[in-house]
């Protein structure tokens, strides 16, 4: 079952209409994100002839914020940022071993919106919306419509957390949880953080990379209240940066603000053919992250999800890249190279 995630930001961006508050910048950015392939190519001075094999008819539509397009190189059909968002006809190929739920999300769903795969942490599907549509997304076929849509609907599912005291960390994921407005997002995060056996919370997000203005002062204040408030629950934020060119001034500034407000910053990247499949690109990525105060946590071997086979690299390539990173970078700046095997008790560390 596929879910069309195209309705875009308005669904979760808060009240609309003439009586509404002035629209915040990030919500405008999301609304104005590029949704047309021809517009995207036009902005980059590229023609369809230079990029054979495109197909924009997927039910997982093109979505790219303008802030991200600005970091792409004009005239370069092989730009590593462009490659992450470009819908290709190859996505329609049926490839052996690539399925709809490669990572076993389905069997790990407990109550609507709650995935409990690993003993001590539960993952909440906070929303199906994202700031960008990454073509290699491992949840591109996820049935998001089954997850709770409002705080009231979460009531029932959150009771699962109350009944499972072995869960000491709750992860807000999706989709991208920062697609929710601050009131909803921190309503959920606050509820989770107030459980006595939950000692940490985590957010998985690509927003700081895609639309840095999402990290507004209201967000930072609410973050600080959880991190340094009376109960003081650490907030771990896992970013998703795949290439050094995604790290620019606005992202570095946002990382500083997040750290000042108490977040501990990690990154997860995916090893992607044509994007970051060389030693040099991984080295530059890890250095750039470390310089921005972000720990490269995981480098993922691609999850074998239908429509993503053209991004897959040999596992041996990843191993050799990471082995060499380890000889050149600080210990903390070398990510763990992992793959997810459905049914296992944790991610599987390859190296
Ligand atoms: C990856 C994942 C986590 C987090 O795993 P860590 O190794 O702690 O980062 C938690 N829940 C689910 C369902 C996951 O896929
Ligand atoms: S931001 Fe994450 S969930 Fe959203 S499309 Fe990209 S990889 Fe998938």
């Amino acid at each position: 079952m596929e879910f069309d995630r195209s309705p875009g930001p308005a669904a979760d961006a808060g009240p609309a209409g003439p009586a509404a508050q002035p629209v915040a910048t990030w919500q405008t950015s999301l609304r104005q994100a590029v949704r047309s392939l021809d517009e995207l190519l036009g902005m980059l001075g590229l023609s369809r002839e230079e990029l054979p094999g495109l197909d924009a008819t997927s039910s997982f539509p093109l979505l790219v914020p303008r802030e991200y397009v600005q970091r792409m190189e004009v005239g370069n059909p092989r730009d590593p940022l462009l490659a992450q968002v470009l819908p290709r006809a190859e996505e329609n190929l049926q490839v052996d071993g690539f399925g709809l739920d490669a990572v076993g999300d389905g069997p790990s769903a407990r109550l609507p919106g709650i995935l409990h795969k690993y003993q001590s942490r539960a993952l909440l599907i906070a929303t199906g919306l994202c700031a960008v549509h990454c073509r290699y997304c491992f949840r591109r076929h996820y049935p998001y419509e089954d997850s709770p849509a409002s705080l009231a609907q979460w009531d029932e599912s959150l009771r699962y957390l109350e009944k499972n005291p072995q869960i000491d960390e709750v992860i807000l994921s999706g989709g991208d949880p920062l697609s929710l407005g601050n009131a909803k997002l921190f309503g959920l995060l606050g509820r989770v953080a107030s459980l006595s056996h939950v000692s940490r919370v985590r957010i998985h997000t690509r927003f700081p990379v895609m639309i840095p203005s999402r990290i507004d002062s209201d967000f930072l204040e609410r973050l600080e209240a959880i991190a340094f408030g009376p109960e003081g629950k650490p907030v771990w934020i896992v970013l998703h940066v795949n290439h050094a060119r995604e790290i620019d001034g606005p992202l570095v500034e946002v990382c500083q603000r997040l750290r000042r407000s108490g977040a501990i910053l990690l990154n997860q990247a995916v090893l992607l053919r044509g994007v970051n499949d060389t030693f040099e690109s991984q080295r530059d990525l890890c250095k750039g992250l470390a310089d921005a105060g972000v720990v490269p946590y995981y480098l993922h071997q691609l999850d074998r999800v239908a429509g993503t086979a053209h991004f897959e690299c040999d596992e041996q390539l990843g191993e050799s890249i990471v082995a060499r990173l380890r000889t050149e970078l600080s210990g903390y700046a070398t990510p763990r190279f992992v793959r997810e095997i459905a049914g296992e008790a944790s991610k599987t560390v390859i190296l």
Side-chain angles (χ1 to χ4, degrees), residues 7 30 70 74 78 117 134 145 148-150 164 193 212-213 219 222 238 305 318 321 341 348-349:
L30 202 42
Q70 276 156 18
V74 172
R78 274 180 290 278
K117 231 184 242 186
C134 314
E145 64 278 19
S150 69
N164 284 275
S213 62
F219 179 97
R222 292 173 189 257
V238 184
V305 165
I321 290 175
I341 301 174
T348 301
V349 178

Side-chain angles (χ1 to χ4, degrees), residues 103-105 108 115-118 120-124 138-139 169 171 202 204 238 266 268 297-298 300 340 346-347:
V103 297
D105 275 347
S108 74
L115 302 185
H116 189 193
K117 231 184 242 186
Y118 306 144
S120 63
R121 46 261 192 248
L123 184 148
L124 306 194
F138 71 117
R139 290 211 184 103
E169 176 173 1
I171 303 167
R202 199 199 302 189
H204 285 177
V238 184
L266 307 177
Q268 51 185 344
Y297 174 44
Y298 280 153
H300 292 268
E340 183 157 356
S346 70
K347 308 272 190 270

Side-chain angles (χ1 to χ4, degrees), residues 12-14 26-27 177-187 214 218:
D12 273 298
W26 70 269
Q27 286 149 335
L178 270 61
S179 310
L180 302 175
N182 289 332
K184 259 193 192 176
L185 174 67
F186 284 92
R214 172 65 188 88
D218 180 52

Side-chain angles (χ1 to χ4, degrees), residues 65-78:
R66 283 163 205 276
E67 290 86 337
Y68 194 57
V69 180
Q70 276 156 18
R71 276 168 271 173
M72 296 175 188
E73 191 187 347
V74 172
N76 180 4
R78 274 180 290 278

Side-chain angles (χ1 to χ4, degrees), residues 23-43:
V23 182
T25 330
W26 70 269
Q27 286 149 335
T28 309
S29 288
L30 202 42
R31 208 163 284 141
Q32 294 176 348
V34 179
R35 289 175 169 77
S36 141
L37 179 57
D38 287 321
E39 188 188 355
L40 176 62
L41 297 183
M43 289 169 79

Side-chain angles (χ1 to χ4, degrees), residues 5 60 130-134 136-139 144 174-176 206 240:
R5 295 194 275 173
F60 182 48
C130 291
V132 60
H133 286 174
C134 314
Y136 54 85
C137 179
F138 71 117
R139 290 211 184 103
Y144 286 107
D176 195 315
R206 223 181 170 194
H240 176 176

